Amino acid sequence: MLTSGPRHPLTTTTGPHTPYRCWATAYPLHAVSSIPLSAHTATSPRLALRWLRDRTRDITDQLDPPYAQPGRHWLTDEAEHERALAYLAAGTAYQLTLHDEECHYVLVVHPPEDAR
């Protein structure tokens, strides 16, 4: 499932080096809390997208084939990658959600406040 988040500031720091915040979290279906998988900061939308591709590949490689298919499709969807870059450049967060029978994996890239 691909979604974009609403425009709202994640940080109050502004300037040319304000990072794009990236994170991946697992949400087990029968657990009380989430499991942080990865966090990263990137200095550009393209570097944030690179991180998103790498983490998507990592998660997809660990899923059974039927559950890995949406992630594999996303990894080869250049039009969707361009759409993600456009969202980030416009100051809108981008989210990718993968799942299997026991867990949802949510990957998010959030642009800096000054990206708008």
Side-chain angles (χ1 to χ4, degrees):
M1 169 186 280
L2 304 172
T3 59
S4 64
R7 289 183 181 205
H8 65 284
L10 183 65
T11 177
T12 57
T13 306
T14 59
H17 300 293
T18 304
Y20 286 76
R21 295 188 51 192
C22 314
W23 63 90
T25 305
Y27 294 90
L29 297 181
H30 303 292
V32 176
S33 61
S34 61
I35 303 167
L37 300 175
S38 179
H40 179 71
T41 57
T43 57
S44 73
R46 288 209 182 271
L47 291 175
L49 181 62
R50 180 184 298 169
W51 176 89
L52 185 59
R53 284 182 184 149
D54 290 345
R55 296 299 71 77
T56 299
R57 189 173 298 108
D58 291 344
I59 291 169
T60 300
D61 286 348
Q62 296 178 48
L63 297 175
D64 289 336
Y67 297 106
Q69 187 57 36
R72 288 188 186 130
H73 174 74
W74 185 88
L75 286 167
T76 61
D77 189 344
E78 291 299 320
E80 184 60 28
H81 298 165
E82 291 302 318
R83 187 171 86 114
L85 287 173
Y87 273 127
L88 295 171
T92 302
Y94 185 84
Q95 176 179 309
L96 174 65
T97 302
L98 304 169
H99 71 90
D100 61 17
E101 66 276 356
E102 298 190 20
C103 196
H104 284 93
Y105 305 92
V106 179
L107 299 95
V108 177
V109 176
H110 202 292
E113 178 181 346
D114 61 347
R116 292 185 227 170

